[in-house]
Amino acid sequence: MAEALISVLLEQLASVVYQHTNEVVKLVLKADKDVESFSSKLKAIQAVLEDAEKKQVTEASVGDWLQKLKDVSYEMDDVLDEWNTELLRQQAEEKQEVEGDNALVTKKKVCFPMPSTCFCFGQVNKVIHHHNIARRIKELNDKLTLIAAEREIYGFHQSTIGGHDDQQLIQRQKTSSLVDMSTIFGREEEKEYLLSKLLRESNQDGGSSQEGKRFLVIPIVGMGGMGKTTLAQLAYNDENVTAHFDKKVWVCVSDPFDEIKIAKAIIESLDKNETQKNSDELETLLLCIKTHVESKKFLLVLDDVWTEDKTKWESLKLLVIMQSCEEGSTVLVTTRKQGVAELMRATSSMIHLDKLSDKDCLALFNSIAFLDREEDEANGFGAIGEEIVKKCKGLPLVAKTLGSLVWHKKTRKEWRDVLNSQIWELEEVEQQVFRPLLLSYYDLAPAVKICLLYCAIFPKDYNFKRDNLIEFWMSQGYLNSKENKEKRRKGQNYFESLAMRSFFQDLKKDEMRNVYECKMHDIVHDFVQFLSKKECIMIEVVENATKKMDLSGDKVRHLTLISVPEGALPTSCYGCKNIRTLTILNSSITTISPSLILQMKCLRTLNLRGNLRSCNKLNELPKEIGELIHLRYMDLSHSDNLKELPEAVCDIYNLQTLVLVGCSKLEKLPKAMGKLINLKHLYVGGCRKLRYLPKGIGGLKSLQVLDRFYVCEGDDDEALKLGDLGIMDQLQGRLWIDRLGKDDASEIEKAQLGNKEHLSHLGVVFQFAVEEEQREGDEEIVNALQPHQNLESLWIGYCHGTTESLYWIRSLHNLRILNLSEWRFCEVVPPLGKLPSLENLTIWGMRKVKKVGVEFVGIEEKEVSGILFPKLKQLSFEFMPNWEEWAFLSEITIMPCLSELYIESCPKLKALPEFLYKIKALRTLRILNCPILQGEYEKGVGKEWHNISHIPNVRVERN
């Protein structure tokens, strides 16, 4: 973790913030030399940190040295942040004096020029504060001088370019093609699939998708210890595979990727007597390989591949060599990194290994644990073994390791000790299981490492929300960059890097196929806890007490409390004066002590998130929250009793993310929120009693995410108007506009949604009206919406207008999802057939529509060419009580990609259009509460059943 922390701190020292303050430092504090000296020493230490981090695994004294280094780095981070915050405070307060709480102005970039009338540093309190900062910087520089000198004691060596070293402590195990069949359990489906690919007669079943190659590349991808090499060995040694290929070669590639070494290994396997294998010329070696395999059916296994360097792959000339082989030749690759499969353009044939089933995992464990002691299995040991296997979570390597561990233990008590221990406390697990994971860990960039380790603050089986996790990383400063890159994009890249290396699993994707949620394998979670156990502490709180645990107050940086009972935060938090993250999960706290807040002065992340099942009972947030000057992230989601926030929240000038989702009783936000000049993300969805957003929010040019805009009913000078969105073109992601009324057309026009090019989703919700009388003005509002053509998802609900006002929708060439709900006065569906990217369409509650015809596909009566709805995959028509007819011209190609069709509560609809019967892609058809259709298409007896019987998943019934 030290390597990652130093990397982050060096980024801060070289960041824009530091450059802005640099002139002030030189002229007022005279601290520039100390800062430069500190930075220089850190860079010198950074050069040996990779070696130090590896040596701490076996040398405790190195771990102590690294701890001292981390402590001083954290302190310097706090000092720099405090210093910058003071300057931000001055700027925000001066802005407030000039503009007031409700002013809407364009905020200029934070910049601190040479002293002028803008900054009066002659004021005594400011001078004292700044000189105090200068003194602390000097003290920390002196501390670092001693730490830097100590590094000579340990004889660290500097990292090589690329971060690898032949003498590294974590040895990479070499593999071979040999396999012990008696230790193989499970993987039948994966083996069968792999063999079918290897034994194919041509590449028509997959090779054609790889750019028409004569050969196929099959990557086996999975986390360390999942059994990738074993699966490859099973296939390689299969007798049918041996008979099928003329030549077979197994090469353990590992890291670093050495083209000469790989080429020599291939030649050695092809012909041990080949003299050219002794050449050090890559060209000679590759020509030799080509000569041996030309016109032969060739199987090449590259095991344990790490490199994603395209130039190294190209230098091996695999494409040229394999193209010279007989058609049907194959390259089989095992790797932990999905990026390798993507680099080889082989994702279509990729095999992603998941965990073993409980049954297979138990069989593997038993085969080792009860070897030559079968009688013990039925003598009480078997039941304990079943419980131990649950710790394995389907990971074969862990099953083998724990099986070997307990084989040596002869009593049931010893077995129970293994069962009841933390898995990372077992020395055998650390040596056998964690070391392969360390290889994947060391392969990460320093900043990505620290992002991974931060995940230790969450419990096992936690559902990580990708965007939340990125905002956590951001709050800790892990995404800072001297290049000033967009932090969210950087965080997304880090997340993808971890996911592609299998540190995350069970990835869930939204309707736009973006990953939004994931989990972490339990063994990976144990691994990150093992690496960060002194800094990340998790406590499950019980009534009137906590589990006894040494919090090592000054070392704990991240504290998580689970199941805190109703009442105040427990005393567990006291004494943790250096914590940077406080997370409370599944808890019922009602109050937070002001004295506790004042103890947590280093806090960056305050996560009090509740959820729909377990709402937070927090009554109020103490005004002392404004003293947390380092705070970047605050989540008070689902605090059901919270009615308002203290004005002191607006003194947290570094606050980047404020999450208030589901605070159902929240009535107002602080008036002076315009002071939060660093606020990037504001989430207020589900705050049903929130009348409006404060006016000052419109001047926050850093604000990138505003999930919901509440239109204020009536005039209120303190309320943010819809038109004020006009200057907020930096908004991105999702935006919902709620409670639109008849007089909002001019405001929606001023909002200039057409300029919001970074918005991907727009939701527009009109005021819900129970009465049947049509509201005026809705059409003018829809006319004025006209979002940017980059929009990918659009939801418009409870509109009293007609779809003619959606004329601009034809320009949304990137629109993939469209939902039109409760357009109760609309008589005609909109023309949507020519939208080139539309994949998901829902029409719900258009009660006056009687016919869906050519107007829906957007063509004239005489048009008979082209493809309409070319990418539509899912279509839903729901609650359309007067819809009777659905008919198109049969000559036109319509919805060729449609795979799911849902029709619900359309009681008058008489028949499905004939074109649906011909769509080969249609896999799911649901018809619910449609009595006429139910009679026509009832399974086996309806007269139209034969037209839909070929569809695999059909459901026709009443609810």
Side-chain angles (χ1 to χ4, degrees):
M1 182 182 258
E3 181 192 15
L5 177 61
I6 300 305
S7 175
V8 169
L9 182 54
L10 281 171
E11 288 277 14
Q12 180 171 340
L13 287 165
S15 70
V16 175
V17 174
Y18 172 64
Q19 291 164 18
H20 283 329
T21 60
N22 199 26
E23 290 299 321
V24 175
V25 178
K26 290 180 180 178
L27 294 170
V28 180
L29 304 179
K30 303 297 183 184
D32 59 314
K33 290 184 180 179
D34 281 321
V35 174
E36 289 173 7
S37 175
F38 192 94
S39 181
S40 177
K41 292 187 189 80
L42 274 187
K43 288 177 181 176
I45 292 173
Q46 187 184 37
V48 301
L49 277 180
E50 185 174 357
D51 185 42
E53 294 239 344
K54 292 169 185 173
K55 283 188 175 178
Q56 71 169 327
V57 176
T58 55
E59 298 181 32
S61 59
V62 175
D64 294 338
W65 179 80
L66 285 171
Q67 185 62 56
K68 287 190 286 187
L69 178 61
K70 287 189 287 186
D71 288 344
V72 75
S73 298
Y74 278 125
E75 285 186 64
M76 178 58 88
D77 183 40
D78 287 339
V79 172
L80 292 175
D81 199 48
E82 184 178 335
W83 170 21
N84 184 56
T85 303
E86 173 63 16
L87 297 173
L88 285 175
R89 183 186 64 78
Q90 292 173 25
Q91 188 206 25
E93 288 181 354
E94 287 173 6
K95 175 186 170 187
Q96 196 76 2
E97 288 176 11
V98 174
E99 301 164 5
D101 291 333
N102 297 329
L104 274 177
V105 296
T106 301
K107 183 182 79 68
K108 294 182 176 135
K109 185 178 181 180
V110 179
C111 129
F112 306 101
M114 294 175 63
S116 65
T117 54
C118 181
F119 286 97
C120 181
F121 288 100
Q123 297 177 36
V124 175
N125 61 332
K126 292 179 183 176
V127 171
I128 292 173
H129 184 73
H130 292 153
H131 280 283
N132 181 43
I133 288 175
R135 176 184 56 78
R136 290 162 66 191
I137 289 175
K138 185 179 187 310
E139 289 174 356
L140 291 171
N141 189 34
D142 292 341
K143 282 186 182 180
L144 188 61
T145 300
L146 296 175
I147 293 170
E150 286 181 16
R151 80 179 187 274
E152 304 298 333
I153 299 172
Y154 303 103
F156 300 131
H157 58 268
Q158 295 192 8
S159 302
T160 57
I161 295 174
H164 301 290
D165 195 299
D166 291 335
Q167 304 301 318
Q168 60 182 298
L169 293 174
I170 308 301
Q171 295 295 327
R172 296 175 184 270
Q173 183 180 357
K174 296 295 181 182
T175 65
S176 74
S177 62
L178 302 177
V179 61
D180 181 1
M181 297 298 294
S182 67
T183 62
I184 306 302
F185 296 89
R187 302 295 186 214
E188 287 84 4
E189 289 185 13
E190 293 90 342
K191 180 184 176 183
E192 184 177 341
Y193 175 80
L194 178 54
L195 290 177
S196 71
K197 288 288 186 183
L198 291 172
L199 300 176
R200 71 201 182 286
E201 289 304 319
S202 70
N203 288 330
Q204 293 177 357
D205 64 340
S208 58
S209 66
Q210 294 182 13
E211 299 185 347
K213 298 174 186 174
R214 294 170 55 81
F215 66 97
L216 183 64
V217 178
I218 306 175
I220 303 175
V221 181
M223 65 181 285
M226 194 58 80
K228 303 179 295 296
T229 297
T230 301
L231 179 59
Q233 290 168 333
L234 284 173
Y236 189 88
N237 289 285
D238 186 88
E239 59 183 17
N240 293 321
V241 170
T242 300
H244 185 74
F245 289 96
D246 302 316
K247 300 276 187 180
K248 291 193 309 176
V249 170
W250 180 287
V251 178
C252 179
V253 177
S254 199
D255 205 30
F257 189 95
D258 186 331
E259 304 93 313
I260 300 269
K261 194 174 179 181
I262 294 169
K264 286 184 175 183
I266 294 174
I267 295 172
E268 174 73 20
S269 183
L270 288 169
D271 186 353
K272 290 182 172 57
N273 299 318
E274 177 59 64
T275 57
Q276 289 186 339
K277 69 183 179 183
N278 297 319
S279 173
D280 287 325
E281 291 295 327
L282 185 59
E283 175 73 8
T284 302
L285 296 171
L286 296 179
L287 286 173
C288 178
I289 295 171
K290 186 172 181 290
T291 301
H292 279 281
V293 300
E294 199 164 16
S295 300
K296 301 281 199 307
K297 189 169 286 189
F298 180 40
L299 171 61
L300 174 62
V301 178
L302 299 176
D303 187 41
D304 196 27
V305 176
W306 288 76
T307 188
E308 295 174 88
D309 188 337
K310 187 177 181 181
T311 58
K312 287 184 176 291
W313 278 108
E314 289 176 345
S315 67
L316 200 54
K317 302 296 182 186
L318 273 183
L319 178 62
V320 176
I321 292 171
M322 297 303 293
Q323 289 283 26
S324 72
C325 299
E326 183 181 332
E327 186 172 352
S329 295
T330 302
V331 178
L332 180 59
V333 177
T334 71
T335 179
R336 304 180 188 198
K337 301 162 78 171
Q338 189 173 324
V340 172
E342 293 180 354
L343 181 68
M344 303 183 82
R345 299 183 180 179
T347 53
S348 61
S349 56
M350 180 173 66
I351 299 173
H352 199 287
L353 279 196
D354 203 351
K355 58 188 178 182
L356 281 178
S357 68
D358 292 341
K359 177 183 177 183
D360 291 330
C361 203
L362 179 62
L364 176 57
F365 172 86
N366 287 345
S367 71
I368 300 170
F370 296 110
L371 182 66
D372 297 328
R373 48 184 294 189
E374 288 79 5
E375 69 282 356
D376 286 338
E377 186 172 358
N379 197 23
F381 288 86
I384 304 173
E386 290 179 15
E387 294 300 311
I388 291 174
V389 166
K390 292 178 182 178
K391 286 176 170 278
C392 303
K393 296 296 179 179
L395 196 62
L397 179 59
V398 182
K400 288 181 180 179
T401 302
L402 293 181
S404 299
L405 172 62
V406 298
W407 184 81
H408 296 284
K409 300 184 182 300
K410 305 304 180 185
T411 68
R412 284 186 287 274
K413 180 182 182 303
E414 290 175 307
W415 278 50
R416 290 194 191 96
D417 288 343
V418 172
L419 172 63
N420 296 325
S421 65
Q422 292 285 349
I423 196 165
W424 44 265
E425 293 175 347
L426 300 170
E427 184 179 348
E428 290 81 0
V429 171
E430 180 185 332
Q431 292 175 351
Q432 301 299 323
V433 178
F434 287 173
R435 291 197 172 216
L437 291 175
L438 279 170
L439 291 176
S440 294
Y441 174 74
Y442 290 145
D443 188 61
L444 299 172
V448 184
K449 287 179 184 175
I450 201 167
C451 289
L452 172 66
L453 296 183
Y454 190 77
C455 297
I457 73 170
F458 299 101
K460 286 183 178 179
D461 210 35
Y462 184 80
N463 288 316
F464 293 94
K465 299 292 189 294
R466 186 196 67 165
D467 288 348
N468 289 151
L469 190 56
I470 290 170
E471 288 161 3
F472 289 143
W473 294 340
M474 197 181 297
S475 69
Q476 295 294 317
Y478 300 159
L479 307 182
N480 290 340
S481 172
K482 58 188 175 186
E483 294 93 2
N484 202 27
K485 291 181 180 176
E486 209 279 307
K487 292 181 181 180
R488 184 171 289 274
R489 173 33 51 193
K490 195 172 184 179
Q492 289 168 352
N493 291 339
Y494 288 178
F495 181 91
E496 289 167 9
S497 179
L498 291 170
M500 291 174 69
R501 286 166 170 80
S502 301
F503 284 111
F504 294 136
Q505 65 175 24
D506 297 341
L507 303 180
K508 292 184 180 179
K509 296 184 178 182
D510 60 21
E511 63 274 14
M512 289 191 282
R513 297 190 296 277
N514 296 316
V515 174
Y516 71 92
E517 187 177 283
C518 68
K519 288 187 177 182
M520 178 176 277
H521 192 284
D522 280 5
I523 299 303
V524 176
H525 187 274
D526 288 324
F527 172 70
V528 296
Q529 275 197 321
F530 167 71
L531 291 179
S532 57
K533 54 190 173 186
K534 289 184 179 178
E535 295 197 0
C536 298
I537 299 295
M538 192 177 306
I539 301 176
E540 185 163 356
V541 182
V542 295
E543 291 285 350
N544 303 319
T546 65
K547 289 183 178 179
K548 290 185 178 179
M549 187 176 292
D550 179 16
L551 293 182
S552 305
D554 62 335
K555 305 301 180 190
V556 176
R557 308 291 174 177
H558 310 287
L559 176 62
T560 300
L561 301 178
I562 302 174
S563 302
V564 180
E566 190 168 338
L569 270 180
T571 56
S572 313
C573 299
Y574 288 91
C576 297
K577 61 180 181 179
N578 291 326
I579 64 169
R580 293 174 161 231
T581 302
L582 176 61
T583 300
I584 313 290
L585 298 175
N586 301 325
S587 300
S588 304
I589 62 167
T590 55
T591 59
I592 303 175
S593 165
S595 61
L596 178 58
I597 291 285
L598 293 174
Q599 278 199 31
M600 300 188 292
K601 286 292 186 73
C602 297
L603 205 63
R604 265 77 173 165
T605 306
L606 179 60
N607 181 13
L608 306 181
R609 171 187 292 266
N611 55 55
L612 291 173
R613 293 192 302 272
S614 176
C615 289
N616 202 322
K617 297 184 179 180
L618 190 66
N619 295 315
E620 63 176 353
L621 199 63
K623 66 179 186 302
E624 285 77 10
I625 196 75
E627 299 292 319
L628 300 181
I629 63 170
H630 301 291
L631 194 65
R632 262 88 172 164
Y633 181 102
M634 183 161 61
D635 189 343
L636 305 172
S637 296
H638 300 286
S639 295
D640 265 9
N641 295 328
L642 195 63
K643 294 184 177 181
E644 62 180 7
L645 300 180
E647 286 292 330
V649 165
C650 302
D651 295 331
I652 312 174
Y653 301 110
N654 282 309
L655 194 64
Q656 297 171 343
T657 303
L658 179 58
V659 188
L660 302 167
V661 173
C663 292
S664 56
K665 294 181 182 177
L666 188 68
E667 297 173 355
K668 65 177 182 177
L669 296 178
K671 184 178 178 182
M673 285 190 70
K675 291 166 62 178
L676 298 176
I677 56 180
N678 275 323
L679 193 66
K680 296 179 182 293
H681 319 112
L682 177 59
Y683 298 97
V684 290
C687 297
R688 298 191 297 269
K689 291 193 175 182
L690 190 61
R691 288 187 54 237
Y692 59 80
L693 301 178
K695 191 83 169 177
I697 289 175
L700 299 179
K701 296 301 288 183
S702 292
L703 193 65
Q704 297 172 352
V705 176
L706 176 62
D707 69 329
R708 193 165 295 256
F709 184 99
Y710 293 104
V711 178
C712 180
E713 298 180 39
D715 291 326
D716 194 318
D717 292 338
E718 295 183 359
L720 186 70
K721 305 295 185 186
L722 256 177
D724 296 332
L725 292 177
I727 62 171
M728 301 176 70
D729 291 343
Q730 77 280 5
L731 291 178
Q732 58 184 250
R734 294 174 174 263
L735 171 64
W736 284 82
I737 300 174
D738 210 350
R739 306 173 190 161
L740 274 168
K742 62 180 181 179
D743 299 322
D744 293 320
S746 62
E747 285 294 318
I748 203 77
E749 191 170 347
K750 292 176 189 175
Q752 298 183 51
L753 295 174
N755 293 338
K756 310 289 187 282
E757 61 179 304
H758 304 297
L759 283 182
S760 58
H761 170 89
L762 176 64
V764 178
V765 186
F766 288 81
Q767 292 176 357
F768 179 75
V770 178
E771 64 274 6
E772 292 298 320
E773 185 178 341
Q774 186 171 3
R775 180 177 54 233
E776 296 181 358
D778 285 16
E779 285 205 25
E780 288 75 10
I781 292 174
V782 175
N783 268 324
L785 282 175
Q786 300 189 35
H788 194 277
Q789 63 181 14
N790 288 348
L791 198 71
E792 296 183 28
S793 174
L794 176 64
W795 195 102
I796 304 178
Y798 302 100
C799 177
H800 284 199
T802 67
T803 53
E804 292 178 359
S805 55
L806 285 169
Y807 68 92
W808 42 261
I809 204 168
R810 300 170 189 170
S811 67
L812 301 182
H813 301 302
N814 295 298
L815 191 68
R816 295 161 60 184
I817 300 171
L818 176 62
N819 186 311
L820 302 175
S821 292
E822 275 292 343
W823 288 55
R824 63 171 70 178
F825 296 98
C826 180
E827 298 181 359
V828 180
V829 291
L832 304 172
K834 292 185 178 180
L835 288 175
S837 302
L838 189 63
E839 298 177 6
N840 187 317
L841 173 61
T842 299
I843 295 179
W844 191 96
M846 286 193 178
R847 306 181 186 188
K848 293 197 173 184
V849 169
K850 294 184 177 181
K851 178 181 178 180
V852 175
V854 291
E855 74 288 341
F856 179 46
V857 295
I859 61 172
E860 303 296 330
E861 289 282 353
K862 296 181 180 179
E863 282 190 61
V864 293
S865 62
I867 300 176
L868 302 169
F869 294 102
K871 291 189 177 180
L872 190 67
K873 296 177 181 178
Q874 182 174 314
L875 175 62
S876 299
F877 288 106
E878 301 175 44
F879 298 97
M880 297 173 63
N882 292 300
W883 183 25
E884 300 176 1
E885 183 181 356
W886 184 8
F888 299 142
L889 297 175
S890 58
E891 295 85 354
I892 305 174
T893 301
I894 304 173
M895 306 179 190
C897 299
L898 188 69
S899 60
E900 299 176 37
L901 174 61
Y902 301 93
I903 302 175
E904 181 175 352
S905 299
C906 301
K908 295 184 180 180
L909 185 60
K910 299 172 183 175
L912 300 178
E914 290 186 6
F915 81 88
L916 286 174
Y917 306 152
K918 304 172 185 177
I919 299 176
K920 295 180 179 179
L922 190 58
R923 312 294 295 173
T924 299
L925 173 62
R926 297 283 187 271
I927 301 175
L928 304 176
N929 289 335
C930 303
I932 298 177
L933 292 183
Q934 184 182 352
E936 294 290 309
Y937 295 95
E938 188 175 353
K939 184 175 180 179
V941 297
K943 69 176 184 179
E944 297 293 338
W945 165 250
H946 66 282
N947 284 320
I948 63 169
S949 60
H950 64 284
I951 301 172
N953 303 303
V954 177
R955 180 182 169 195
V956 182
E957 60 185 44
R958 290 183 181 275
N959 267 343

